[in-house]
Structures are given as C-alpha cells and as structure tokens.
Amino acid sequence: MIIVREVAQLRQAIAERRQLGTCGAKEVHGATIQQHTVGFVPTMGYLHEGHASLMQKAREMADTVVLSIFVNPIQFGPNEDLDSYPRDEARDLEVARREGVDIVFLPTVAEMYPQPTRTKIHVSALTERLCGASRPGHFDGVTTVVAKLFNMVNPDLAFFGMKDAQQVAVLQQMVTDLNMNVTIVPCPIVREADGLALSSRNVYLSAEQREQALVLSRSLFKVREVSEDGARNTFTIHQIRQMVESTIASSPLADIDYIEILTFPGLEPLLPEQRLSDVKEDIIVALAVKFGNTRLIDNIRLQKAEVLSHV
Ligand code: AMP
C-alpha cells in the first residue's frame, strides 16, 4: 500500500497504476479494449465498518483503489467539532491495508488549501434543506473539496455512503451539471447489530446517550414496516412523520434538529396529506438529532416498488 501526503506524489502513484493491466475489458465500437479503472473512497478518517464497506465495493469494482483521509475544515461551521473531530491515523492505515487499498492520500490542510481559496462550488436547491439548512455553508465545503479531490485523483468511480443521502444527491447533481467524468456509486448504510448507523461521531456518545440513540433507527425501521404493510401503507406523510417524531420523543435525551420526508434524489417536499402508497417516486425519511453536543444523522430510503408492491 502506497501512502502519499502530497498531490504530486498522488498523481504520480495513480499514473503508475494506470499503466498496469486491468481486471475488466470494455466493448467500444465492437472492439474489446482494456481499461484500468480507478475507484476512489473519500473520507474524513477514524475509519469504521461503514467506510470499510465502501472500500470493499471499490475493491470489487475497480483495479486500483484510492482512499483519502482528510478532515476538511471548510465544511465545518464556526461552532462545530472541527478541532475535536476524532483522528487515528495508525488505526486508519491498518483498516486500509486490511481492505486491500492501493493508495492512501493523507494531505495536510496546507497541501489541500495552499493559498486562500477564492473558488467554491455551490449546488443550489438541493443544499437548502436538511443538513444544508442546519449547517449553512457545509455543502459548499463538501462539493468544493470533493471537486478538488476528483481533479487530483481523476477516478472512474467514486464511492459514497447513503448514510449521507443528501451528500449523494448533491454530488450526483454536481457531477452531472459539470460533466465530471466519474460515476458516483451510492453504498448502503452499515449499522451496528442493534441498529445504530455507524459514524465516527458515535465515540462522543455517553453510554446513556448511545442507548437512547437507538430511537433513530427504531423510528426508521417502523417506517419501513409500514411501507411494506399493505394495510398501513395508506398512512399519510403527516402520519408517518408523527410516528417518527413520537418514537424519537420517547428518548428524553434526544433533541430533534429535523425530521423530513422528501423525494430522492430530488429532495422535494411531499404534501402532508399525501398517502405513502400514492407517492410516485423514491422517498427518504431523514433525521438529524442531537444527543448533548453530538449531532447524529440517519435516514431510510423507500424505493417506489417497495411501497407499491403490497398495494
Ligand atoms: P466521513 O468520513 O464521515 O466523511 O464519511 C466518508 C464516507 O463514508 C461518506 O461517503 C459516508 O457517507 C460514508 N459512511 C459513513 N458512515 C457510513 C455508514 N454507517 N454506512 C455506509 N457509509 C458510511
């Protein structure tokens, strides 16, 4: 595994890998060509099984797997947890090695932002709700750093977790709008055995908060049950929201930031009186809930076919 900290070294290492052979062949105008594919997994480190699942998917689909670990300051607000964000480089490198990553990119802030940045990428509309509303400027930080990383790595495939469903929608929009030559591969949410979605921020939780944080996944699993139940998928969006809210409110330590039910990936709001079974698109139910100073997010995606299959 090659570990690089500078952009020039990263480009060099990738160029060398691209000259190697390939595990897949491609048909182009009737001819079979060999193409070396690069899969990219951007992270902020403190790696867990959620990150590992992205590396595994990348390992499966690409010839070369590049992992980046960078806690990106420009996506944190002034009162957020940039300074206390958990870090453990040695452990992260072990995880990367175990997952068969080829190249790890570990830049410093100075390497990523050597001069005051005057260019930002802003995706409109999709960034105005959910975490975009609670964390002003957050998504500009995300799209800007991801665009920079894409320009450094030039990946064919880039892997992102549906844990951050809005991020997937925003990045997909950016890639399409700017004709970036990369395919975004969304990967399913990885959870603990008891349902809690894995997150680097879970380490902040006290034992009591950790226990109560289970209301997030529990409330979302109830939505899944309702959507799959022919007798109950006539619930309205309002009723679904109420159900989620009352489940979360059963935890005295939970401080709800938002509960939203939107189309996915368009992130358009649904009418409260609309019945689940009448919605013609995929839906996400997305939550952000604070436990003390720790803000957790989670979501569930209901694919149209799932909701309608029991009608
Ligand atoms: P982060 O290090 O939190 O910025 O996350 C890096 C990538 O890992 C993002 O694409 C996240 O969506 C993804 N990720 C984080 N947690 C999970 C999880 N529990 N399941 C699947 N993907 C995840």
Side-chain angles (χ1 to χ4, degrees), residues 107-278:
T108 59
V109 173
E111 182 68 11
M112 286 299 286
Y113 301 108
Q115 55 187 25
T117 302
R118 300 214 169 83
T119 308
K120 283 233 164 106
I121 305 250
H122 175 72
V123 172
S124 61
L126 293 176
T127 56
E128 278 150 31
R129 333 192 124 258
L130 305 171
C131 291
S134 320
R135 304 181 68 187
H138 167 69
F139 281 110
D140 289 359
V142 170
T143 43
T144 302
V145 81
V146 171
K148 282 166 71 76
L149 288 165
F150 281 178
N151 284 333
M152 294 168 187
V153 174
N154 195 16
D156 301 284
L157 305 164
F159 299 82
F160 293 90
M162 279 298 286
K163 165 84 179 353
D164 301 273
Q166 185 176 20
Q167 177 169 277
V168 169
V170 168
L171 292 175
Q172 183 59 64
Q173 181 82 37
M174 172 183 86
V175 161
T176 307
D177 286 349
L178 298 181
N179 300 85
M180 291 180 170
N181 199 13
V182 53
T183 300
I184 302 280
V185 183
C187 302
I189 300 177
V190 177
R191 299 177 179 280
E192 302 277 9
D194 61 8
L196 184 70
L198 291 179
S199 163
S200 305
R201 291 187 168 101
N202 291 351
V203 291
Y204 298 142
L205 298 170
S206 69
E208 197 187 8
Q209 289 170 336
R210 166 74 182 70
E211 180 58 34
Q212 294 201 15
L214 291 179
V215 289
L216 269 72
S217 52
R218 209 177 295 141
S219 69
L220 296 173
F221 296 158
K222 277 192 191 172
V223 177
R224 159 98 50 224
E225 254 175 55
V226 165
S227 76
E228 289 175 348
D229 177 349
R232 290 191 297 166
N233 70 1
T234 50
F235 273 28
T236 63
I237 297 301
H238 174 71
Q239 284 171 310
I240 299 276
R241 200 185 176 287
Q242 295 277 88
M243 189 178 77
V244 171
E245 190 170 351
S246 65
T247 307
I248 296 177
S250 72
S251 152
L253 299 180
D255 173 13
I256 298 173
D257 176 358
Y258 64 71
I259 300 169
E260 290 211 48
I261 305 176
L262 305 171
T263 62
F264 189 86
L267 307 183
E268 299 284 351
L270 294 155
L271 296 173
E273 63 275 16
Q274 207 166 351
R275 290 188 190 285
L276 199 53
S277 52
D278 291 339

